[in-house]
Amino acid sequence: MSDRLSIVVVEKDRERALLIVDSLRAAGNHEIIVISEQTGLARRISERNPDVVLVDVSSPSRDMLEELTLASSPMERPVAMFVDRSDDSLTRAAIEAGVSAYVVDGMSPGRIKPVLDAAITRFHMFQRMRAELAATKRALEERKIIDRAKGLLMKARGLDEDAAYALLRKTAMDQGKKVAEVAEALVTAAGLLS
């Protein structure tokens, strides 16, 4: 945690909150906001738009995890949760809610920095994986559309596959577009005409 971070700490016990704030300040010059009331948690976190959310609860409730899902979807920010006790279903629900680090057996000051570092690293790793998956899905969809457009050209013009692709590529270059864009336009037009 070398850069200055905006951190929301969710902790209802004042003494524990101060302990967490002191530990975070010892780890760096961070902007720290403490939220002690768990009602309306999603709205409060969203209003502050922090870089990281740190939650310290003895045992998370389903309602709290639902609020975390609303406030801190896995796409938005890393969330580290310290709990005193848990069970398999709560652990699963926490991970599905977007919690990047789920630490059972409570919070101790010496564990805060390494857990936050791990949560941030894990969040960025999953963010990269989601981006790669989205790019792969997009490329697959483009490939399908290009193949359909080639099939239409082959049938309508009596071309072989290479010639159909060459025609798509030439048209895309002439129009300053991607091959997938030209192919999509052709497939859409063919759909309207049939």
Side-chain angles (χ1 to χ4, degrees), residues 78-116:
V79 176
M81 181 176 277
F82 292 88
V83 298
D84 290 339
R85 58 192 175 281
S86 184
D87 62 47
D88 290 343
S89 65
L90 283 176
T91 301
R92 193 174 312 107
I95 298 302
E96 288 172 1
V99 173
S100 305
Y102 187 79
V103 181
V104 180
D105 200 16
M107 187 274 313
S108 66
R111 295 168 78 185
I112 291 177
K113 183 185 180 318
V115 168
L116 276 184

Side-chain angles (χ1 to χ4, degrees), residues 19-39:
L19 182 66
I20 293 168
V21 168
D22 289 344
S23 297
L24 290 170
R25 289 220 166 97
N29 181 25
H30 305 296
E31 176 189 348
I32 304 165
I33 300 128
V34 176
I35 298 176
S36 58
E37 183 59 45
Q38 293 177 5
T39 310

Side-chain angles (χ1 to χ4, degrees), residues 92-149:
R92 193 174 312 107
I95 298 302
E96 288 172 1
V99 173
S100 305
Y102 187 79
V103 181
V104 180
D105 200 16
M107 187 274 313
S108 66
R111 295 168 78 185
I112 291 177
K113 183 185 180 318
V115 168
L116 276 184
D117 287 345
I120 291 167
T121 301
R122 183 171 185 257
F123 171 79
H124 289 300
M125 179 186 73
F126 276 106
Q127 200 173 41
R128 278 191 308 275
M129 287 171 53
R130 282 189 296 274
E132 289 172 7
L133 178 60
T136 301
K137 285 181 178 180
R138 202 169 34 256
L140 182 59
E141 288 302 314
E142 288 177 357
R143 186 80 248 151
K144 287 179 186 178
I145 289 173
I146 291 169
D147 286 344
R148 286 180 59 201

